[in-house]
Amino acid sequence: MTVKNQLMKCFDMFRICGLATLIAITSCSQKENRLLQQALNLSGANKPELEKVLKHYENDILKLEAAKFLISNMPGQYALKSSGIDSCQKIIKEAVQIGYVGMFEKQKGQQFLQSGKDTIYDINVITADYLIENIDLSFDVWKKNKWNNDLSFDDFCEFILPYRIADEELSNWRVKYRERYAPVLDSLYAGTDAVAACDSLCEYMKKEGFLYNTDFSPPHLSGDFLLNNRFGTCRDGCDIGIYAMRAVGIPVATDILPYSPEHKSGHSWNVLLDVQTKKQLPFWYTQFSPERNDNFTDERKKGKVYRMCYGIQSDSNYPDRRNRRMKDVTAEYFGNNQTHVKVEIPNIPKNAPVYLGVFSPSGWKPVCSGKYDKKRNKAVFDDLEPRVIYQPLVFDGRKLRPANHPFLLHAADKIHYFIPKIQDTHTIHLTRKYPLKQRTADFRHSMLGATIEGSTDSLFHHSVRLHTIADTIRSNHHQVSSENKTPHRYVRYRSASGKRTEMGEIIFLREDGTHIPIKNISVNARMHRPVPHHNTKNIIDGDPLSFYSHHEAGLTVLFEFTQPESVHSIVFIPRNDDNFIRVGDEYELFYNSGTSEWISLGTQEAASFVLTYDNVPKNALLWLKNKTRGREEQVFTYENNRQRFGTFDEYEKKVIVE
């Protein structure tokens, strides 16, 4: 290229991209050139394919830089393949058709996924044609849409350009998603606002449906497969959102929390880069659209939040140090006022990595790494969500171990350590082992206003009231006396108008406390599906975790006894999480002692729905473990004669200032 042509090209670049972008692109550092050369060297026999891409764009500065970005960050990008994954996908296809995965299919799928997997590295197999098509299509939607006029080249590289998300099999997803959704978006929105465009497409995609299911944990599914098989967890829903939005030029990414401080898993959701406000707006197309009002509808505690990137991040605090593509974006959600939280960690092994963890029944889960200040014997952690219980951890060469007492973070300079007062104890009364979530509470509210009636005939020409649920059921097990003891052959449970039927168990008792056997059970629902929660036998199977649930409001459940019986009392178990104290189960209470971890306060079999423990140290972080059943458990404190799960505003008044 002649000097004149180079100058003309730079002028065109300035006109298209603006001065800031041109400076950023033309000042490629030696480090970036070194990464590119390293990637080419690692490609082995596939090097000619990558060089073909660079040669193809030698006269297009911007696309050449995009190609360099993809190739430089390609080492370590891979797909997982196995016959087990293929078999699992067949099960998913069948599940999508009927809207449900059966237990047998679930077991088969888990077995399939345990088979060996092959790791196919992109750098060794990707073709020039694939990369060129991806780059050209990405630039087309970047420049076509006016809402991207102010989208920087760097943001374009992370929010639109990447050809893959994680470890899914490569496919020509960009073409197929564009063919499906570009005409749709053109018909729905013709403006210049990416937020409005994303919202329009979200509403359309929501109607296409998504089968939420956690029965399998396969690698990320390919874009081609997900296009017609809307199935999986929040992660898979996010992947669909990525494919669809990027294919039409809407800049999006996926944010994750590694492990929730109050739930028993991680979580993920999409974010839209709002060029107008320079903010990332959360959304999940199956549930909610992006909004500029800063009201993120997912209210679960997060601790730390990371963004999945294609480019390698040099300063990530992600706890798995092998994954260098996670960008710490916690400050975008909680502000950077939580920067530099300093935690005392004495007697740390030399050069040992330090972390912060959140509770899980299987051990503290690290959610971020930190930097150790040797002079002050303190670890420094950046950008933490406040009102979360954290545990300082250190890696001793074999495993992560506690490095100090757990603490509740109030602000960057205010921490409350849970140091148990061994000489100052109290008696506590426990009713749950896991916090009561709003959704679970709503199940109990659904029974409010329901009536139970008895009759000698199935049509209830002459019926009498046995009970009306006038107050919200407060526990997992609620027993009431029947208002009428006349023998009846039939009993019906009628949900209040406008309320769904959400029932775990219902038991009818004779005067001597024995169960009245039920011959038949039916529901007047208009529609039934072959899914577990549409099985009415769940109401009388003796398992409080199985349940009957139906979306139709005001349903009637009809019970037929084997003969006329006098109902003396009725037991209600609403649909629930089975985390109340369960009579007959064995429980063990622990308190956290810091570096010595958990110390038992004794084991007892529950004789009632309340467990009582004496001589419990005050200011202790507690953990109640059900040794008989269940997986959901969470730490708590005991104050003002009640359990306090999670984080509490009361601590604001008594934090310890460091």
Side-chain angles (χ1 to χ4, degrees), residues 229-452:
N229 297 281
R230 308 304 175 89
F231 177 99
T233 64
C234 53
R235 183 200 71 181
D236 301 289
C238 288
D239 288 356
I240 295 171
I242 288 276
Y243 292 131
M245 299 299 168
R246 287 181 178 175
V248 298
I250 298 175
V252 298
T254 294
D255 284 1
I256 73 162
L257 60 93
Y259 195 87
S260 171
E262 59 181 0
H263 290 264
K264 57 180 176 59
S265 64
H267 186 48
S268 58
W269 58 94
N270 290 127
V271 288
L272 164 71
L273 175 57
D274 181 8
V275 180
Q276 292 185 24
T277 64
K278 308 303 180 184
K279 292 183 178 181
Q280 282 75 23
L281 308 181
F283 74 96
W284 203 47
Y285 85 88
T286 65
Q287 294 183 358
F288 58 94
S289 298
E291 297 181 2
R292 289 195 174 100
N293 57 13
D294 294 329
N295 291 330
F296 184 23
T297 56
D298 187 301
E299 297 178 351
R300 78 188 74 195
K301 287 289 182 179
K302 301 170 181 62
K304 292 291 291 185
V305 183
Y306 298 90
R307 181 160 299 142
M308 296 175 62
C309 298
Y310 179 86
I312 296 172
Q313 306 298 303
S314 59
D315 57 351
S316 175
N317 296 317
Y318 196 63
D320 185 351
R321 298 182 182 223
R322 295 168 300 178
N323 189 339
R324 298 187 295 151
R325 303 181 194 274
M326 306 301 288
K327 180 180 179 181
D328 189 344
V329 294
T330 312
E332 294 181 13
Y333 290 85
F334 310 110
N336 58 9
N337 61 326
Q338 302 302 320
T339 300
H340 302 318
V341 175
K342 299 177 181 179
V343 181
E344 294 181 3
I345 301 183
N347 303 320
I348 184 173
K350 185 178 180 180
N351 299 323
V354 290
Y355 302 87
L356 279 185
V358 296
F359 177 81
S360 83
S362 61
W364 296 96
K365 298 287 187 181
V367 295
C368 73
S369 60
K371 300 175 183 177
Y372 189 62
D373 185 342
K374 296 181 181 179
K375 294 181 180 180
R376 296 177 176 82
N377 285 332
K378 291 184 178 181
V380 180
F381 300 95
D382 295 334
D383 299 330
L384 302 174
E385 179 183 9
R387 300 197 181 112
V388 168
I389 295 173
Y390 297 99
Q391 170 67 64
L393 301 166
V394 62
F395 185 70
D396 63 7
R398 295 184 301 108
K399 64 177 182 177
L400 286 173
R401 62 170 177 81
N404 199 337
H405 290 86
F407 65 87
L408 175 74
L409 174 67
H410 171 61
D413 59 348
K414 296 180 180 179
I415 300 174
H416 179 87
Y417 284 99
F418 294 103
I419 303 175
K421 300 178 180 180
I422 305 300
Q423 303 304 320
D424 186 7
T425 64
H426 56 168
T427 298
I428 66 174
H429 307 282
L430 310 179
T431 58
R432 284 183 62 85
K433 62 184 180 69
Y434 192 74
L436 182 63
K437 304 302 181 183
Q438 184 60 51
R439 185 165 179 261
T440 305
D442 289 342
F443 296 149
R444 299 183 300 158
H445 298 325
S446 69
M447 301 187 80
L448 183 63
T451 59
I452 297 91

